[in-house]
Amino acid sequence: MDLETLLDRINLGEDQDIEFKSADGGFPNEVWKTVSAFANTDGGYIVLGVTENRNRFEISGVRNPNVLLKEFWNNHNNLQKLSFSICGNSDVQTLKIEDRNLVIIKVPRATRTQRPVYINKNPMMGTYKRNHDGDYPCTDDEVRQMLRDASNDPQDIQILDNFDLGDLDPETLKSFRQRFSSREPDHPWLGFDDRNLLIQLGGWRRDRNTDKEGLTIAGLLMFGRGNSILDALPRYQLDYQERLSNDPEVRWTYRLTLDGKWEPNLFNFYYRVYSRLVNDLDIPFKLDKDAVRRGETHVHEAVREALVNALIHADHLSSRPVVVTKFPNGFLFNNPGRLRISLLQLYDGGISDPRNPKLQTMFQMLGLGEKAGSGFRKILRAWKEQQWFRPLVSEKFDLEMTSVALPMLSLIPEDVEQELKEIVGDNYCQLTELDRIILVLAHQFGEISNSDIQCYRQEHPRDIGECLKHLVNNGWLAQSGRGRGTQYALPNKGQPDLLSLIPSSEHYEPSSEHYEPSSEHYEPSSEHYEPSSEHYERLRKIAAPIRDKGRTSKELVEQVILELCSEHYLQLRTLAELLGRVPNSVRNHYVNPMLKKGLLEARYPDEPTHPQQAYRTLLSPGISNISDTPSSSQTSQNLLDSSLPPKMPEL
């Protein structure tokens, strides 16, 4: 961690991934709980030599960093203290600020085979997790789930005592054979009886060491009767919901769960749910190589992949349910159990570490699921082709669950997209994200330059220039002028009038809030102020103690925000500019908490991602202690903290 980042984090205070300790009386023993919590959650930093004083953090320094480091390493490498030596030499550093020393310990996220990382030789009592800025003991169920994942033995090969073929549903086995035969009519396994077919699939197994044999968890989950599944797994739960109504009083418009009306094994759940998930997806008229109409698109394939993944990667021994939800504008798949590979590995593809490999084999025999780790890449491909918001995978550390959100929302308004498709033609799906954003800007503003595009994108001007050249060479943009004065416009599209620029401040990059002051073309009565305006200068004077001082208390920053927003709504970009802070930092550390406390109100409370979202003070800025103010009820947060539209609420 560099000095500038550290000072900024000290100013902001403790959070999900940073903890401060004074260490004035020696190495603090509480640090080991934090080491366990960071390792079991998502990693983080422990900074020794920072003291909390009246809800603000100050650099106090440590007297002898070498002594602290020696004590840290002695206990870190002692199995009686810490179950796993999680840190390496490069994870610990000392940093000097003026005449004061700080010790910074980076705790990496533990892999699944390393978890749980616990203290004092007791996993059930010494395992911790990180929630916001606190360390909390894990429940027995959470620890047991980590222990299950740490094992290299698959969950679903476990042989069940006192279960046999009578616990399977004959109709499910029959349907499986029919679908398997339809796909692979000459497969040799189809000639086996049920028991031998199950052996090949992994649903029936003999342990060579003990000579014990019987039905496996995989066999029961895929083909079992409902009562038999619940006898083996009392907390087993599958839940499919359709939330297609705009009426907040209607929780769902359709629901499929364990209600005694069907045999709720995974085979039946998949085929009942998949047909409903895709029943209203558009199927364009296309012929395959044999001149037969194709019955599905890459979107169908992606939804199928997401559903299968939720079932084969779920920890079915957990107390949490598998929940699949269909919304008017997308899908949400929640399954118990955290990811067994990193998010980066998931998005890159090529690596597969299924929690239930036998279940994966069973679905694969039906042409469902991938073993090569390419399944999620297919989802990304389908969503990119449709120009929709990128699928988002997140881990819920407090619930030990994984969530996959597939929003079916375009980054580009439908009417604009249609015009661009007419210009680009069949090549539209091959456009890069930068291509699309440039064409949208050209559509909205009439003429644009390389410097104009830089206000909306973070690519190097040279890369933007290459993209512009590519669009011009293909005839999708027209070029005029030379050098820095070069302008680009859509072919045969003139300069728009001023009124057409009013909605053009909408950014189509989902996370973009980097508006240039001159790019916001609002009506004169709008709460937007040019940098040269008298009111803007007054706001700058109000924010000067924060912008010019650097490190300040959280309470002072909140007080200044309340004063800035006391007269009119202000956008996040404007607040960040006035405070001299990064927009994401202002949002996460100040605006969102102040909304929850009832200190601020959003201009569009039901649309967190509204392109003209802004905030105004609800509470007078003269209060003495913001943290003591009772919170008021707030609009429920968006599914993915502004990454998805508000119609997909979190379950």
Side-chain angles (χ1 to χ4, degrees):
M1 181 181 293
D2 59 62
L3 177 59
E4 184 179 353
T5 302
L6 176 61
L7 293 176
D8 189 43
R9 297 304 300 270
I10 292 174
N11 175 57
L12 294 173
E14 292 179 335
D15 208 337
Q16 177 79 13
D17 63 347
I18 195 163
E19 177 83 9
F20 300 117
K21 298 291 184 185
S22 67
D24 189 42
F27 194 89
N29 194 50
E30 303 83 29
V31 163
W32 298 110
K33 292 181 180 179
T34 306
V35 171
S36 168
F38 278 155
N40 291 323
T41 311
D42 207 22
Y45 290 89
I46 301 170
V47 183
L48 304 181
V50 178
T51 303
E52 184 175 7
N53 183 17
R54 296 183 180 180
N55 293 325
R56 64 175 296 179
F57 290 91
E58 300 173 343
I59 297 175
S60 55
V62 297
R63 297 176 185 175
N64 194 331
N66 290 331
V67 172
L68 292 180
L69 290 174
K70 182 175 177 57
E71 185 173 352
F72 169 76
W73 286 119
N74 285 343
N75 284 295
H76 175 270
N77 298 322
N78 181 2
L79 293 178
Q80 304 298 309
K81 186 63 180 180
L82 189 67
S83 64
F84 186 84
S85 302
I86 191 70
C87 298
N89 289 331
S90 61
D91 294 322
V92 180
Q93 68 177 120
T94 58
L95 195 63
K96 194 163 188 175
I97 300 178
E98 296 179 349
D99 60 341
R100 297 175 182 176
N101 292 303
L102 298 177
V103 173
I104 304 171
I105 303 168
K106 177 184 177 182
V107 182
R109 168 178 167 153
T111 65
R112 71 166 179 87
T113 58
Q114 295 168 347
R115 292 193 300 262
V117 175
Y118 54 89
I119 61 175
N120 301 330
K121 303 185 296 182
N122 190 336
M124 306 311 292
M125 299 293 293
T127 301
Y128 290 81
K129 62 183 177 181
R130 187 76 172 179
N131 281 343
H132 189 46
D133 59 355
D135 305 321
Y136 300 91
C138 292
T139 65
D140 289 354
D141 280 346
E142 289 170 336
V143 175
R144 280 192 283 265
Q145 189 170 55
M146 292 184 203
L147 291 169
R148 287 195 299 271
D149 270 348
S151 172
N152 285 322
D153 294 331
Q155 288 187 14
D156 61 348
I157 67 169
Q158 179 181 332
I159 298 173
L160 296 166
D161 293 327
N162 304 315
F163 283 77
D164 55 31
L165 296 180
D167 292 295
L168 305 183
D169 175 44
E171 290 301 315
T172 300
L173 272 169
K174 180 180 178 181
S175 296
F176 180 89
R177 282 183 175 274
Q178 290 172 344
R179 290 184 181 273
F180 187 10
S181 175
S182 176
R183 181 173 180 270
E184 296 277 355
D186 299 322
H187 201 289
W189 292 0
L190 291 170
F192 295 149
D193 60 19
D194 287 347
R195 179 177 175 278
N196 283 297
L197 174 61
L198 288 170
I199 290 174
Q200 300 300 322
L201 294 171
W204 188 278
R205 173 173 168 262
R206 179 175 72 87
D207 189 322
R208 293 180 180 274
N209 295 320
T210 64
D211 208 36
K212 174 184 177 182
E213 72 171 289
L215 192 65
T216 65
I217 289 180
L220 185 65
L221 285 171
M222 191 70 168
F223 306 110
R225 300 178 187 272
N227 289 336
S228 297
I229 295 175
L230 291 173
D231 285 343
L233 309 170
R235 295 181 291 187
Y236 172 80
Q237 179 67 26
L238 301 172
D239 195 353
Y240 170 68
Q241 302 174 13
E242 292 179 0
R243 300 189 180 187
L244 306 179
S245 173
N246 292 323
D247 185 349
E249 299 298 321
V250 180
R251 292 189 62 189
W252 53 74
T253 52
Y254 174 82
R255 190 182 187 194
L256 176 69
T257 187
L258 279 65
D259 55 8
K261 299 177 182 178
W262 60 294
E263 295 295 358
N265 51 57
L266 299 187
F267 178 91
N268 287 336
F269 183 77
Y270 170 82
Y271 282 104
R272 286 172 178 250
V273 167
Y274 175 71
S275 61
R276 296 195 66 96
L277 285 173
V278 301
N279 64 0
D280 51 3
L281 290 180
D282 291 334
I283 303 177
F285 184 83
K286 288 187 178 181
L287 302 180
D288 62 18
K289 62 181 180 179
D290 299 318
V292 177
R293 182 173 182 178
R294 292 169 53 184
E296 64 174 31
T297 66
H298 285 158
V299 175
H300 290 76
E301 185 180 17
V303 173
R304 181 170 65 241
E305 196 70 36
L307 177 57
V308 172
N309 282 346
L311 300 179
I312 65 177
H313 292 295
D315 182 354
H316 294 286
L317 301 180
S318 167
S319 60
R320 308 289 183 184
V322 175
V323 183
V324 179
T325 313
K326 179 179 181 179
F327 297 93
N329 54 7
F331 310 98
L332 182 63
F333 301 85
N334 284 307
N335 65 264
R338 288 168 60 179
L339 291 172
R340 289 162 65 92
I341 59 176
S342 70
L343 275 172
L344 180 61
Q345 290 172 324
L346 176 69
Y347 278 91
D348 285 345
I351 298 177
S352 178
D353 186 12
R355 187 172 273 111
N356 301 290
K358 297 305 179 183
L359 284 176
Q360 187 178 41
T361 296
M362 294 173 185
F363 277 108
Q364 189 184 27
M365 293 299 103
L366 302 173
L368 309 171
E370 293 283 345
K371 278 194 174 181
S374 60
F376 196 72
R377 296 295 300 173
K378 291 184 177 181
I379 297 174
L380 294 175
R381 176 193 64 184
W383 254 244
K384 183 177 181 180
E385 289 175 352
Q386 298 298 321
Q387 316 297 337
W388 288 335
F389 279 86
R390 196 179 194 216
L392 185 62
V393 181
S394 58
E395 292 180 283
K396 303 179 185 301
F397 298 112
D398 54 335
L399 300 176
E400 288 289 316
M401 295 188 71
T402 300
S403 174
V404 178
L406 305 182
M408 295 191 300
L409 283 162
S410 177
L411 297 170
I412 303 173
E414 191 172 330
D415 57 336
V416 176
E417 185 176 43
Q418 186 57 42
E419 279 194 55
L420 297 182
K421 285 182 176 179
E422 292 175 1
I423 295 173
V424 178
D426 295 338
N427 295 299
Y428 186 77
C429 288
Q430 307 303 319
L431 294 177
T432 67
E433 186 174 329
L434 180 58
D435 290 335
R436 298 196 309 272
I437 296 301
I438 290 175
L439 291 175
V440 169
L441 293 174
H443 179 280
Q444 292 292 293
F445 292 105
E447 288 188 340
I448 55 171
S449 66
N450 190 311
S451 58
D452 292 332
I453 299 165
Q454 293 171 39
C455 298
Y456 295 81
R457 300 291 297 183
Q458 296 181 351
E459 284 86 355
H460 192 279
R462 181 178 58 253
D463 297 327
I464 294 175
E466 288 297 321
C467 188
L468 286 166
K469 182 179 179 182
H470 165 73
L471 295 173
V472 170
N473 289 340
N474 281 281
W476 303 331
L477 277 183
Q479 176 181 333
S480 61
R482 297 181 62 184
R484 292 187 178 182
T486 303
Q487 296 287 317
Y488 302 87
L490 295 178
N492 303 319
K493 184 174 177 65
Q495 179 73 22
D497 58 49
L498 182 60
L499 291 178
S500 69
L501 291 177
I502 293 175
S504 68
S505 61
E506 300 180 5
H507 285 237
Y508 301 102
E509 182 71 14
S511 62
S512 173
E513 281 169 339
H514 304 283
Y515 304 104
E516 289 296 317
S518 61
S519 71
E520 295 173 353
H521 301 277
Y522 298 130
E523 296 291 345
S525 60
S526 156
E527 297 79 18
H528 170 69
Y529 307 98
E530 294 295 332
S532 59
S533 70
E534 181 179 343
H535 189 86
Y536 189 85
E537 283 302 315
R538 185 161 65 84
L539 293 179
R540 282 183 57 83
K541 290 180 181 179
I542 294 173
I546 307 299
R547 184 179 60 256
D548 299 338
K549 188 174 181 181
R551 286 188 294 138
T552 51
S553 70
K554 187 173 183 179
E555 286 76 12
L556 179 58
V557 177
E558 290 182 340
Q559 291 277 6
V560 170
I561 290 175
L562 289 175
E563 189 170 353
L564 291 172
C565 300
S566 61
E567 297 182 29
H568 301 292
Y569 286 101
L570 290 183
Q571 290 193 325
L572 180 64
R573 196 277 310 167
T574 303
L575 279 174
E577 185 180 80
L578 291 168
L579 297 170
R581 298 288 193 271
V582 177
N584 282 342
S585 176
V586 175
R587 181 205 295 117
N588 296 333
H589 294 283
Y590 300 107
V591 171
N592 284 347
M594 293 174 75
L595 286 170
K596 290 181 180 179
K597 292 179 184 178
L599 304 179
L600 294 176
E601 66 172 351
R603 187 173 195 169
Y604 302 98
D606 296 325
E607 299 182 67
T609 59
H610 196 287
Q612 296 181 17
Q613 184 64 277
Y615 309 93
R616 186 173 65 180
T617 299
L618 272 177
L619 192 63
S620 169
I623 61 174
S624 59
N625 191 343
I626 295 175
S627 61
D628 295 334
T629 304
S631 61
S632 65
S633 61
Q634 295 291 316
T635 303
S636 61
Q637 287 190 340
N638 194 355
L639 168 67
L640 298 169
D641 296 333
S642 302
S643 293
L644 291 180
K647 290 187 179 180
M648 294 178 64
E650 185 163 358
L651 300 178

